[in-house]
């Protein structure tokens, strides 16, 4: 028999909003003048959660950023979505086909839905993000609509694939489009779907991605909190050595962005040891964004930030040589970091050369994170801005096709 998982949607939204315990949620509601006990919160997070009173519903949706249905509650007849009575009394507008519930889905629905999710995962490395993102988001919306019409193992399969789709949508928003606030909201939905699938490893992956948002903003406590949660979920699952090393890499990048390169280098060294030791578990198929060479790319960036220029140059050149052919997005980042090394070491011509190579790749493999690296290099070259090599870089960076993207970030 499948064990009950409770109202995972509410629990996931609570954790994502930073309320680590049920008591934290009680306190947050109290700060808004709503008094409930922890026993009531337990009932809300049970398998059959009672619908909160209207004032409590409003407070919950405000502090958790989700509507009442997304939080796992089912409005009773007459409650609707808390619309004013006059609005709910209006007759429905005739704007298209009548929306009817989906029929109960067959067991093949999980496999069929996952097949498209897998295709999107592979297409991510070659399709322009602005082209792929609408398709991934639409597929996730389909999964949300299908989920209520599934049960048992089929429901878990659809929920897991849905979590992966939302995770990918968030990755595009954060890394490719540089929309961190939007990515944060998307990853909350991914975490809720992972909870519906009772997939702790997928939940760990989502939580670790969520750490990037505060980490890149320099908010170390918030990033650390999400990493603690990610590691907790990883301990509940059969995490591979590669997955555990990736957690070290994510935390290392957050520490680097927050100014603690010593801790970051220690984390990367630990990740290298974990990979060298190996393990009995294999990585999940959806984890296609990490490998030993990508851990080395994290290391090179941290060495650069720490001012260890010879070591950073050696690491990044090795990464550039070992990256697979389909890793052009990552290649733009590595070229940007190599350019930054040369700029910091007083070699403007070499720095500009690497930056131009990155821009050439960005013309066919757009990656906002890569452009962010190039723009950082250009700022570092300010003292040589009248030299021809830097002017050539400016011509490439601020061409008609690139200037809007460059200045919008």
């Amino acid at each position: 028999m499948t064990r009950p998982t409770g109202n995972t949607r509410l629990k996931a939204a609570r954790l994502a909003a930073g309320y680590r315990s049920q008591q934290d949620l009680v306190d947050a509601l109290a700060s808004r003048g709503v008094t409930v006990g922890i026993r009531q919160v337990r009932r809300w997070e049970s398998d059959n959660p009672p619908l909160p009173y209207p004032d409590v519903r409003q407070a919950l949706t405000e502090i958790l950023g989700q509507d009442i249905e997304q939080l796992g509650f089912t409005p009773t007849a007459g409650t609707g979505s808390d619309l004013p009575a006059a609005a709910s009394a209006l007759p429905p507008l005739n704007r298209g086909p009548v929306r009817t519930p989906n029929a109960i889905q067959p067991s093949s629905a999980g496999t069929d839905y996952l097949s498209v999710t897998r295709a999107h995962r592979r297409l991510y490395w070659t399709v322009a993000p602005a082209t792929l993102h609408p398709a991934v988001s639409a597929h996730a919306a389909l999964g949300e609509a299908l989920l209520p019409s599934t049960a048992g193992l089929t429901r878990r399969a659809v929920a897991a694939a849905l979590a992966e789709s939302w995770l990918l949508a968030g990755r595009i928003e954060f890394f490719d489009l540089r929309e961190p606030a939007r990515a944060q909201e998307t990853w909350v939905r991914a975490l809720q779907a992972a909870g519906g699938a009772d997939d702790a490893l997928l939940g760990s992956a989502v939580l670790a991605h969520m750490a990037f948002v505060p980490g890149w903003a320099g908010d170390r406590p918030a990033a650390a909190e999400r990493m603690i949660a990610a590691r907790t979920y990883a301990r509940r699952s059969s995490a591979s050595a590669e997955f555990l090393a990736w957690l070290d890499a994510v935390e290392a990048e957050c520490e680097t962005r927050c100014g603690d390169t010593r801790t970051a280098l220690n984390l990367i060294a630990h990740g290298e040891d974990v990979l060298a030791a190996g393990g009995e578990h294999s990585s999940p198929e959806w984890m296609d964004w990490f490998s030993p060479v990508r851990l080395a790319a994290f290391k090179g960036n941290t060495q650069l930030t720490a001012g260890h220029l010879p070591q950073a140059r050696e690491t990044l050149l090795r990464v550039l040589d070992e990256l697979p052919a389909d890793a052009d997005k990552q290649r733009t980042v590595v070229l940007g970091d190599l350019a930054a090394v040369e700029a910091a070491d007083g070699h403007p011509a070499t720095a500009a050369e690497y930056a131009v190579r990155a821009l050439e790749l960005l013309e066919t493999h757009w990656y906002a994170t890569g452009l962010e690296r190039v723009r950082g290099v250009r700022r570092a070259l300010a003292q040589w801005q009248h030299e021809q090599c830097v002017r050539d870089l400016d011509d490439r960076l601020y061409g008609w096709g690139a200037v809007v993207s460059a200045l919008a970030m």
Side-chain angles (χ1 to χ4, degrees), residues 32-333:
R32 291 176 174 263
V34 176
T35 302
V36 298
I38 194 169
R39 185 175 180 181
Q40 183 63 47
V41 177
R42 291 197 190 103
R43 294 180 65 201
W44 291 342
E45 294 190 0
S46 68
D47 288 314
N48 298 295
L51 184 67
Y53 290 116
D55 59 331
V56 182
R57 291 203 298 270
Q58 181 176 349
L60 278 173
T61 57
E62 288 176 353
I63 65 177
L64 299 181
Q66 302 281 319
D67 64 38
I68 204 67
E69 291 90 347
Q70 290 174 321
L71 294 175
F73 297 101
T74 302
T76 56
T79 61
S81 300
D82 296 331
L83 292 173
S88 61
L90 293 174
L93 296 177
N94 183 17
R95 291 181 176 174
V98 177
R99 296 189 62 182
T100 57
N102 292 303
I104 296 299
Q105 297 298 302
S107 59
S108 59
T111 303
D112 293 340
Y113 186 77
L114 177 59
S115 66
V116 179
T117 301
R118 284 172 171 158
H120 287 159
R121 184 200 311 149
R122 293 190 295 267
L123 289 170
Y124 170 74
W125 303 106
T126 56
V127 175
T131 301
L132 183 60
H133 184 266
V136 175
S137 297
H139 182 59
L142 171 63
E144 294 273 12
L146 287 178
L147 202 57
S149 302
T150 58
L153 295 177
T154 303
R155 184 181 184 85
R156 292 186 63 177
V158 172
L162 173 60
E164 185 187 337
S165 288
W166 282 130
L167 175 58
L168 177 58
R171 283 172 55 81
I172 296 172
E173 290 159 0
F174 186 82
F175 296 109
D176 297 72
L177 304 177
R178 291 305 293 128
E179 298 179 7
R182 186 180 180 187
Q184 170 70 16
E185 294 176 0
T186 299
W187 283 333
V188 168
R189 304 180 81 167
L191 187 60
Q192 291 173 330
D198 197 20
D199 191 327
L201 193 62
L202 194 49
S204 176
V206 175
L207 285 162
H209 276 85
M210 293 174 77
F212 281 124
V213 178
W216 283 34
D219 185 351
R220 187 177 183 275
E225 184 177 41
R226 285 160 175 76
M227 286 308 304
I228 290 171
R231 293 186 185 279
T232 300
Y233 275 67
R235 286 196 298 270
R236 298 172 183 168
S237 59
S238 301
S240 66
E242 190 175 56
F243 188 90
L244 296 174
W246 173 68
L247 292 181
D248 285 332
V250 173
E251 189 167 0
E253 176 147 352
C254 292
E255 292 289 354
T256 299
R257 296 267 179 166
C258 293
D260 191 348
T261 54
R262 175 176 294 183
T263 297
L265 288 171
N266 288 336
L267 283 162
I268 290 172
H270 182 265
E272 291 173 333
D273 291 341
V274 169
L275 285 176
E280 58 181 301
H281 304 295
S282 59
S283 296
E285 65 168 335
W286 43 258
M287 188 184 169
D288 61 350
W289 59 73
F290 187 74
S291 64
V293 69
R294 293 177 189 272
L295 177 61
F298 280 97
K299 181 178 183 178
N301 178 258
T302 300
Q303 290 171 328
L304 163 64
T305 306
H308 304 165
L309 301 183
Q311 296 92 327
R313 181 184 291 111
E314 179 183 358
T315 300
L316 292 167
L317 284 172
R318 185 174 68 252
V319 170
L320 194 62
D321 184 58
E322 295 177 0
L323 278 174
D326 63 351
D328 281 338
K329 290 184 178 183
Q330 182 68 41
R331 195 169 282 107
T332 64
V333 173

Side-chain angles (χ1 to χ4, degrees), residues 356 378 385 389-399:
V356 168
R378 178 58 186 87
Q385 63 185 6
C389 61
V390 180
R391 288 183 175 181
D392 291 341
L393 171 60
D394 287 344
D395 286 339
R396 200 64 180 254
L397 179 59
Y398 299 115

